[in-house]
Amino acid sequence: MNGTPLDGLREQLRGQLITPSDPDYDSARAVYNGMIDRHPAGVVRVAQVADVIASVNFARDNSLPLAIRGGGHSAPGFGTWDRALVIDFVDRTGVRVDPEAGTARAEAGTTWADFNHATHAFGLATTGGIVGSTGISGLTLGGGIGYLSRKYGLSCDNLLSADVVLADGSFVKASEAQNEDLFWALRGGGGNFGVVTSLEYRLHPVDMVHAAIIIYGIEHAETVAKFYRDYIASAPEEFGAFLGFHQGPPVPFLPEEWHGKPVCVVIGMWTGDPAEGEARWQPFLDVAPVAGSLVGPMPYPALNGAFDPLLPKGMQAYWKANFLAELTDDVIAVHLEYGSKVPSVQTSVHLYPIDGAVHRVGKTDTAFVYRDVNFAPVIACMWNDPADNAANVGWVRDYAAALRPYSAPGGYINFMDGDDQDRIRENYGVNYDRLVAVKKKYDPGNLFHVNQNIKPG
């Protein structure tokens, strides 16, 4: 692109257009994953919806790839692309809470830390991610698994409406009453159908929770994993907790001798009667020797952002995901083999429970189809030194491959990487053909293809 066409776009914007000649171009093109080094034609930091419409029209009319960036956490780096126009919502983080209606509308650049801060003031929350710096948009459009999933469903199950700019530049609202087919597809179908500029959520009464971060030496992982499996199977839905494998983090409640050592963790919260909180967690303190723990009442946002200091922007990252019907002994054996070799303190291997309220939504009620599995294991490998890239990517791939014989055909798209495009049909199962039809209707030219892409035919 030469300067003249981009200058034409600049005249249509209230927000900032950053191009390769600008001093802040390198920071503007950077995304969360430091492995991604792409050079877009320009980055539009939108100020209002009109900027989104102008950018969509410009990219379409000039045959430019179009990348959309909310929080920027996409492991494949879909928030940027070579020679593309990037629509960046970094400055659009407003949240309006309606406490009487129990709803909140948030702009597309909002992170879960932003959202939780706004809603917590009213003693309310909805299902969000595990890391506060994750964007609400990408997480919700891909499904949205979090601590509240068992009680209140996925993030997309709590989506009430979305404002969307379509490929033809038109602006529409998607809800159960308007553009119902688009609304169906947005709940799990990712960014394939348009640019979501704001999202409206249903909120629930969540204020102080009885949270726990319990860390065990890896030698106790088999005992802990089998106990967790049995406990979560009958636990009330107010108990939201995941099993994980880490290196011991440098936190005050974990003795230094455990820092950087392989550990097994159980992390989560009890949102039921506060008087029951201590009793709900005591079995996990008794099942095996505890290396370190933090257990007690805390505000929900505090738990939701507990890992943020360990996960700054710019680390190398490579992720994989599957779905598991059950946490069998064979599956546990795979996790013991690979989970004991977690390569960095920033790496997270988590097994999220997605039963309860998630199962009460039908497989075809939203685009998110895996409503009959019990766990969503994710392997989120992150590290600092690019010299470790080949070894760490190999570890993730081998780990995921070892789980595949015990897994459902598809996986959770929010933790898919750039080399997972061949799993698109499997990820959507019986909903895939319907998603293709919605794609043909709203984006027949596949303008929105920088994603886990559903092709229009």
Side-chain angles (χ1 to χ4, degrees):
M1 296 292 294
N2 59 40
T4 304
L6 285 176
D7 285 343
L9 173 61
R10 195 185 307 272
E11 294 169 358
Q12 302 177 56
L13 301 174
R14 298 288 287 180
Q16 183 183 12
L17 173 61
I18 302 170
T19 63
S21 61
D22 292 315
D24 51 352
Y25 174 73
D26 281 338
S27 62
R29 70 184 180 90
V31 290
Y32 187 71
N33 185 352
M35 291 180 71
I36 307 301
D37 184 25
R38 297 189 180 124
H39 294 78
V43 177
V44 177
R45 288 180 170 166
V46 300
Q48 51 187 240
V49 172
D51 292 347
V52 178
I53 294 171
S55 298
V56 168
N57 289 335
F58 182 86
R60 183 193 63 244
D61 294 344
N62 289 277
S63 300
L64 279 177
L66 188 63
I68 316 301
R69 187 187 306 166
H73 266 234
S74 164
F78 288 145
T80 189
W81 207 254
D82 286 329
R83 298 176 296 279
L85 187 63
V86 176
I87 296 177
D88 188 353
F89 286 97
V90 65
D91 297 325
R92 309 314 308 162
T93 62
V95 181
R96 185 184 183 279
V97 179
D98 184 338
E100 292 187 3
T103 63
R105 178 167 291 279
E107 294 178 291
T110 303
T111 65
W112 285 108
D114 298 325
F115 188 90
N116 293 333
H117 178 75
T119 61
H120 184 68
F122 301 94
L124 299 169
T126 200
T127 305
I130 301 300
V131 176
S133 58
T134 303
I136 66 168
S137 299
L139 189 94
T140 301
L141 297 178
I145 296 170
Y147 294 111
L148 293 169
S149 296
R150 299 186 72 231
K151 177 65 174 175
Y152 296 121
L154 305 173
S155 301
C156 71
D157 299 335
N158 290 282
L159 187 66
L160 296 174
S161 71
D163 290 336
V164 189
V165 175
L166 301 176
D168 63 3
S170 60
F171 175 83
V172 301
K173 182 176 181 178
S175 69
E176 291 285 7
Q178 297 172 265
N179 300 297
E180 298 92 333
D181 55 348
L182 177 60
F183 185 58
W184 174 86
L186 291 176
R187 289 174 290 166
N192 275 281
F193 311 99
V195 185
V196 173
T197 61
S198 73
L199 305 96
E200 181 190 16
Y201 294 91
R202 179 186 301 108
L203 301 178
H204 308 277
V206 180
D207 192 354
M208 295 294 292
V209 300
H210 205 101
I213 302 173
I214 305 175
I215 303 174
Y216 312 85
I218 197 67
E219 66 271 21
H220 302 297
E222 182 175 7
T223 298
V224 172
K226 291 181 176 179
F227 177 79
Y228 170 85
R229 173 188 63 193
D230 297 339
Y231 189 94
I232 202 74
S234 60
E237 293 172 5
E238 289 82 1
F239 189 84
F242 62 82
L243 174 71
F245 296 86
H246 284 254
Q247 285 187 8
V251 292
F253 57 88
L254 183 66
E256 190 172 350
E257 65 194 76
W258 287 102
H259 294 182
K261 300 287 183 62
V263 296
C264 173
V265 305
V266 176
I267 301 174
M269 63 188 191
W270 166 255
T271 60
D273 183 349
E276 297 181 26
E278 185 175 343
R280 292 291 175 182
W281 283 110
Q282 191 61 45
F284 287 93
L285 297 172
D286 295 337
V287 68
V290 173
S293 65
L294 178 66
V295 183
M298 68 174 67
Y300 169 66
L303 179 62
N304 192 242
F307 299 112
D308 292 11
L310 294 174
L311 303 172
K313 181 178 178 179
M315 291 183 301
Q316 312 293 291
Y318 186 76
W319 298 356
K320 291 293 179 193
N322 290 297
F323 286 118
L324 293 170
E326 300 293 343
L327 188 55
T328 64
D329 288 352
D330 288 339
V331 170
I332 290 173
V334 171
H335 282 291
L336 294 177
E337 178 182 355
Y338 289 93
S340 63
K341 302 171 186 175
V342 168
S344 70
V345 72
Q346 297 91 356
T347 293
S348 303
V349 179
H350 292 167
L351 289 88
Y352 300 121
I354 50 170
D355 56 346
V358 180
H359 283 189
R360 291 195 288 276
V361 179
K363 292 170 69 73
T364 61
D365 289 349
T366 69
F368 188 97
V369 71
Y370 283 95
R371 304 288 183 167
D372 54 356
V373 296
N374 288 308
F375 296 97
V378 301
I379 308 166
C381 191
M382 290 171 277
W383 63 98
N384 287 314
D385 190 349
D388 296 330
N389 286 11
N392 290 347
V393 168
W395 173 79
V396 174
R397 288 175 173 167
D398 290 346
Y399 200 154
L403 286 173
R404 285 300 294 273
Y406 311 104
S407 303
Y412 182 32
I413 67 166
N414 285 343
F415 279 84
M416 293 288 180
D417 220 294
D419 53 2
D420 285 314
Q421 291 286 328
D422 61 340
R423 298 186 69 185
I424 298 299
R425 179 180 285 274
E426 294 175 337
N427 294 341
Y428 292 112
V430 297
N431 288 336
Y432 179 77
D433 290 340
R434 183 178 174 186
L435 283 164
V436 170
V438 176
K439 179 74 169 179
K440 286 180 180 179
K441 177 178 177 180
Y442 289 98
D443 184 22
N446 204 14
L447 178 64
F448 305 113
H449 66 271
V450 181
N451 47 43
Q452 297 293 350
N453 192 227
I454 299 166
K455 294 179 175 59

